[in-house]
Amino acid sequence: MMIRTITLIGAGNLATQTGKALKKAGLEIRQVYSRTEQSARELADLLTTTFTHKTEEIDLSADLVLVAVKDDAIEEVLACLDCRQTLLAHTAGSVPMQLLEKHTNRFGVFYPLQTFSKKRDVDFSEIPICLEANSAETLNELKELAFRISGHVQEIDSAKRKILHLAAVFSCNFVNHFYYLGDQLLEQHQLNFDLLKPLIRETAGKVMELRPFDAQTGPAKRFDETIINNHLSLLGNQPELAEIYNFVSGSIFQAHKNS
Amino acid sequence: MMIRTITLIGAGNLATQTGKALKKAGLEIRQVYSRTEQSARELADLLTTTFTHKTEEIDLSADLVLVAVKDDAIEEVLACLDCRQTLLAHTAGSVPMQLLEKHTNRFGVFYPLQTFSKKRDVDFSEIPICLEANSAETLNELKELAFRISGHVQEIDSAKRKILHLAAVFSCNFVNHFYYLGDQLLEQHQLNFDLLKPLIRETAGKVMELRPFDAQTGPAKRFDETIINNHLSLLGNQPELAEIYNFVSGSIFQAHKNS
C-alpha cells in the first residue's frame, strides 16, 4: 500500500515542518490533532486541513497516523485511541519503536534528524530520515513516503537512534547554547552578534570537510595558559560561565594533549 | 603612506591564511620569519618569498611587520628586534595593543576574527578585521590594508577585542568540541558523522537569522526529564561526558526556565 493520506498528531516545531514538507510533496494531510485547540487550528490553517483537540475525534482512517508529540505525550495520546488497524509511526529520537506494539500491529518510526522551529523552513531533501518498522511491508511503506521528501533515508534501529539523538543534542542543542553564551557576552559589552557570524559559519563549514578533531583551534587545544587565565578573569563576575569555560577547556585539552 | 610590503612574523594557521590573502590582494610579502626553519620555509614557498628563522635576519625595512605568533611569543620576538622606525601590528585577540609601545612609535592591531587552519582556505572578504592603532595616521594605513582583503573592517579597542575573543572561544572552539564529542559517540556505535552534517549546518544557519536564544530546541530547554535521564544513562560508562551533559543542560534550562 502506498501512503497517500496522513493524520498528524501534534502541532509543535517538528509536526509543523514535517507536515509542510509532506503536503508540499503531494501527501494529503487529513487532520491535525493537538491538545490545545489553538495550536491545532494554527497548523491546520497552514496545511489547509481540519483539526481537533479531542482524542475521540482523531481521524484514524488515514493511511498513516504520524505521532509527533513530546516523548512523554506519545503514550498518553495513544492510550485514548482504538487504532489496531492503523499504521502508526512516531517521530521521536529516544522512544523505542516497541512502545507502539500494544496499540497496533503495523507500526514504525519516522525520525527526521534536524532542529525545527515553526517559523524557519528547512530544506527537507537533505535531512536524514531514520526509519524503523515492525515488518518489511511497513518499512517499505515508510521508505516510499520518506523518499518523497528526502534523499537521505536510512533504516536505523531504536538503540542506534537513541545514540544519534544524544549526539544531536551535543552537536546542535549544546552548540546553540554556546552561540547563546557568546551572544550574551557581546551584548553585555555593546558588541554586535553579527561579528561572530562568519566565524560560526566557518566553524560549521570546516567539519563538512575535516573531522572535528582536526578542525580544532584555540587556546584550550594549545593549552595557552596566559589566554585561558585572561579569559577566566574576564568571567570573574560570572562564576557559572567561568565554570563552563574551565570545564570545556579541560575537556578539549584532554582530547588533544597526546596529539 | 600606503602599505605595500609586509614582513610576516609567524608561520602558523593565522599567518598562513592571512599571508595568502594579503599576497592575493597584491601586497608583497617580503619575508617570513618562524622560530623553526622548516615552518618558515614552507610558508615562504607558498608565498614565493624569502624566509629566516633567525631574529637578527628579520627584514625590518618592509612597510609593515605583522606579528602573527602565539601570544606568549610576541614579546619574545620583539625583544630581539631594533624596530623603532617600523610599523608594527600584532594579530592577537587577547593581547593589549600597548604591549607594542616600548618597541616602536607606530603600532597597532590587525585582528581577523576567524578560525584558521593551514590547509583550509577561507573567504577573507567576509571576515571581520578588528583594528586598533596608536595614531589616526597608523589607523588609516591599517584600514586601507584591511579593506584590500575584507569588506568588514572595524575599529575595536583592546578591551572589547578581548571580549570578542572570549565570545569566539565559546562560539567556535567550544562549539567544535561539541561536534567532536558527537562524532566520538557516533564512532563508538559505528554510526557515520555524515548523519549529523545537515543538523550542524542548520544549527549554524538558524542563528544567521534568529537570536540563539530563540533558535534553541531540544530536551534541556523543555526540561524533558525522561530524555535527559535516558541520555545520562547512555553515558553511564563515560562519566566525564555525563558531567558535561548535565552541566550544559542545566545551563540551558536556567536560561530558558522563565521564558
Side-chain angles (χ1 to χ4, degrees):
Chain A
M1 191 199 76
M2 194 167 144
I3 298 167
R4 294 171 200 275
T5 58
I6 297 170
T7 290
L8 200 52
I9 309 287
N13 296 338
L14 188 148
T16 300
Q17 293 302 336
T18 307
K20 286 174 80 169
L22 290 168
K23 184 181 155 73
K24 203 173 154 196
L27 279 296
E28 181 196 330
I29 309 297
R30 189 160 281 178
Q31 188 193 47
V32 172
Y33 162 86
S34 169
R35 219 167 20 173
T36 58
E37 194 175 357
Q38 197 193 329
S39 308
R41 181 188 296 115
E42 277 172 17
L43 182 51
D45 284 355
L46 212 59
L47 303 174
T48 16
T49 187
T50 61
F51 63 92
T52 182
H53 67 293
K54 298 174 181 161
T55 51
E56 66 273 21
E57 288 179 1
I58 291 176
D59 185 346
L60 297 173
S61 72
D63 297 336
L64 168 69
V65 173
L66 191 64
V67 186
V69 294
K70 268 183 70 169
D71 293 16
D72 294 340
I74 297 175
E75 185 56 34
E76 227 171 90
V77 177
L78 293 181
C80 307
L81 305 183
D82 176 17
C83 51
R84 292 234 56 92
Q85 304 308 314
T86 313
L87 172 53
L88 275 185
H90 77 62
T91 58
S94 289
V95 175
M97 176 178 71
Q98 294 304 329
L99 185 87
L100 306 178
E101 193 173 25
K102 61 172 178 252
H103 300 288
T104 178
N105 49 17
R106 295 166 57 222
F107 55 93
V109 177
F110 189 98
Y111 172 55
L113 179 57
Q114 189 51 284
T115 168
F116 296 109
S117 293
K118 281 190 191 173
K119 294 200 172 149
R120 180 174 161 91
D121 291 348
V122 283
D123 176 7
F124 250 84
S125 68
E126 298 223 328
I127 298 177
I129 300 190
C130 307
L131 300 181
E132 191 180 8
N134 75 316
S135 73
E137 197 195 333
T138 302
L139 185 65
N140 278 337
E141 290 169 338
L142 293 177
K143 211 178 259 180
E144 192 274 335
L145 179 71
F147 271 121
R148 290 175 72 170
I149 57 175
S150 167
H152 298 269
V153 178
Q154 304 213 13
E155 196 183 345
I156 292 202
D157 67 25
S158 290
K160 288 202 169 174
R161 193 173 62 252
K162 261 191 192 181
I163 297 293
L164 255 184
H165 188 207
L166 175 58
V169 167
F170 276 91
S171 301
C172 164
N173 304 147
F174 290 1
V175 158
N176 185 73
H177 190 57
F178 284 93
Y179 298 156
Y180 165 76
L181 296 175
D183 185 20
Q184 290 289 99
L185 278 166
L186 295 189
E187 197 177 35
Q188 287 161 15
H189 294 85
Q190 294 81 49
L191 285 158
N192 195 315
F193 183 65
D194 286 348
L195 280 164
L196 290 182
K197 288 180 178 175
L199 180 64
I200 285 171
R201 281 198 297 271
E202 171 64 6
T203 305
K206 268 175 125 171
V207 297
M208 300 300 124
E209 288 179 23
L210 304 172
R211 289 295 286 268
F213 183 86
D214 299 319
Q216 191 58 277
T217 59
K221 178 190 174 183
R222 306 190 297 267
F223 196 62
D224 189 326
E225 266 191 292
T226 310
I227 298 186
I228 293 172
N229 290 331
N230 206 316
H231 284 169
L232 286 173
S233 78
L234 283 175
L235 296 172
N237 56 349
Q238 296 175 82
E240 198 214 348
L241 268 193
E243 203 179 345
I244 290 187
Y245 185 97
N246 230 339
F247 207 76
V248 181
S249 292
S251 178
I252 293 173
F253 177 66
Q254 283 301 317
H256 286 273
K257 69 179 173 183
N258 298 319
S259 68
Chain B
M1 189 202 73
M2 192 167 145
I3 297 167
R4 295 169 199 274
T5 59
I6 297 170
T7 289
L8 199 52
I9 309 287
N13 297 337
L14 189 148
T16 299
Q17 294 301 338
T18 308
K20 284 173 82 170
L22 290 167
K23 183 181 156 71
K24 203 173 152 196
L27 280 295
E28 180 195 334
I29 309 297
R30 188 159 281 179
Q31 187 193 48
V32 172
Y33 161 86
S34 169
R35 219 168 19 174
T36 57
E37 195 175 358
Q38 198 194 330
S39 309
R41 181 188 296 116
E42 277 170 16
L43 182 51
D45 283 355
L46 210 60
L47 303 174
T48 15
T49 187
T50 60
F51 63 91
T52 181
H53 68 290
K54 298 174 181 159
T55 49
E56 66 271 23
E57 288 179 0
I58 290 176
D59 184 346
L60 298 172
S61 72
D63 296 336
L64 167 69
V65 173
L66 191 63
V67 186
V69 294
K70 270 183 66 167
D71 292 16
D72 295 340
I74 297 175
E75 184 57 34
E76 227 170 89
V77 177
L78 293 181
C80 306
L81 305 182
D82 177 17
C83 50
R84 293 236 56 92
Q85 304 308 314
T86 312
L87 171 54
L88 274 186
H90 76 63
T91 58
S94 291
V95 175
M97 176 178 71
Q98 295 304 330
L99 184 89
L100 305 178
E101 192 173 27
K102 62 173 177 248
H103 300 287
T104 177
N105 47 19
R106 295 167 58 223
F107 55 93
V109 177
F110 189 97
Y111 172 54
L113 179 56
Q114 189 51 284
T115 168
F116 296 108
S117 293
K118 281 189 190 174
K119 293 196 174 153
R120 181 175 159 90
D121 290 350
V122 283
D123 176 8
F124 250 84
S125 68
E126 299 224 326
I127 298 177
I129 299 188
C130 308
L131 301 181
E132 190 180 8
N134 76 316
S135 72
E137 195 195 335
T138 301
L139 185 65
N140 278 336
E141 289 170 337
L142 292 177
K143 209 177 260 181
E144 191 275 335
L145 179 69
F147 271 120
R148 290 177 72 169
I149 57 174
S150 167
H152 299 269
V153 178
Q154 304 213 13
E155 195 182 345
I156 293 204
D157 67 25
S158 290
K160 289 203 167 174
R161 193 173 62 251
K162 261 192 193 182
I163 296 293
L164 254 186
H165 188 208
L166 175 57
V169 167
F170 276 92
S171 301
C172 164
N173 304 148
F174 290 1
V175 158
N176 185 72
H177 190 56
F178 283 92
Y179 298 155
Y180 165 76
L181 296 175
D183 185 20
Q184 290 288 100
L185 278 166
L186 295 189
E187 197 176 35
Q188 287 161 15
H189 294 84
Q190 292 82 50
L191 285 159
N192 196 315
F193 183 66
D194 286 349
L195 280 163
L196 290 182
K197 288 180 178 175
L199 179 65
I200 285 171
R201 282 198 296 272
E202 173 63 7
T203 305
K206 269 175 125 170
V207 297
M208 299 302 123
E209 288 178 22
L210 305 172
R211 288 295 286 267
F213 183 85
D214 299 318
Q216 190 59 277
T217 58
K221 178 191 174 184
R222 307 189 296 266
F223 197 59
D224 189 327
E225 266 191 294
T226 310
I227 299 187
I228 293 172
N229 290 332
N230 206 316
H231 284 168
L232 287 172
S233 77
L234 282 175
L235 295 173
N237 58 350
Q238 297 176 81
E240 197 215 348
L241 269 193
E243 203 180 346
I244 290 187
Y245 185 98
N246 230 340
F247 206 76
V248 181
S249 292
S251 178
I252 293 174
F253 177 67
Q254 283 301 317
H256 286 271
K257 69 178 174 183
N258 298 320
S259 69

